[in-house]
Amino acid sequence: MDYRKVTAIIQPSKLEAVEIRLKQISVPGVSVTKVKGYGQVPNFFESDWTSAQARIEIFIAANKVDEVVQAIMEVAYTGIKGDGIIAVLPVESLYHIRSGQLFDAD
């Protein structure tokens, strides 16, 4: 099993387009969370400096990571500071809760 976890934090206005693109390249599943935070571009109009963002998490076979990352970057890009970030992390184990078995992509 060679999987990765891709986490992307993007502008909420780009979320629907990113979801559509991920379906087009046959990503089998995603988790989306509305989050808030600040990074390179703090929101000085809020007392805590945070802005609304969308976090996308994907568990995917390692050989599909580059395609997924490129798809997200292409669709989420605006060219303005605050477009977001993508992190890719190794996955040690991935289990189905229902069966207790290791995940098998086949």
Side-chain angles (χ1 to χ4, degrees), residues 1 4 9-10 15 41 49 54 56 59 61 70-71 74 76 80 83 86 94 100 105-106:
M1 178 172 99
R4 301 292 183 268
I9 299 177
I10 64 170
L15 179 58
V41 183
W49 292 8
I56 301 168
F59 292 96
Q70 287 302 313
E74 288 169 9
I80 300 171
D83 270 356
I86 301 173
L94 190 60
D106 298 328

Side-chain angles (χ1 to χ4, degrees), residues 3-28:
Y3 286 90
R4 301 292 183 268
K5 177 183 177 187
V6 177
T7 301
I9 299 177
I10 64 170
Q11 293 294 325
S13 62
K14 294 293 188 170
L15 179 58
E16 184 176 357
V18 169
E19 289 176 331
I20 290 168
R21 181 69 181 116
L22 292 173
K23 287 177 187 174
Q24 289 172 344
I25 63 169
S26 301
V27 170

Side-chain angles (χ1 to χ4, degrees), residues 24-92:
Q24 289 172 344
I25 63 169
S26 301
V27 170
V30 301
S31 294
V32 177
T33 312
K34 293 180 181 180
V35 296
K36 66 179 197 168
Y38 70 91
Q40 190 176 20
V41 183
N43 181 358
F44 295 115
F45 298 105
E46 293 290 331
S47 61
D48 61 0
W49 292 8
T50 61
S51 297
Q53 301 286 324
R55 179 177 56 214
I56 301 168
E57 295 175 301
I58 303 164
F59 292 96
I60 195 82
N63 64 354
K64 299 267 297 179
V65 167
D66 290 339
E67 181 181 16
V68 168
V69 168
Q70 287 302 313
I72 295 169
M73 288 197 305
E74 288 169 9
V75 177
Y77 176 82
T78 68
I80 300 171
K81 282 186 178 183
D83 270 356
I85 60 171
I86 301 173
V88 178
L89 302 168
V91 174
E92 187 172 317

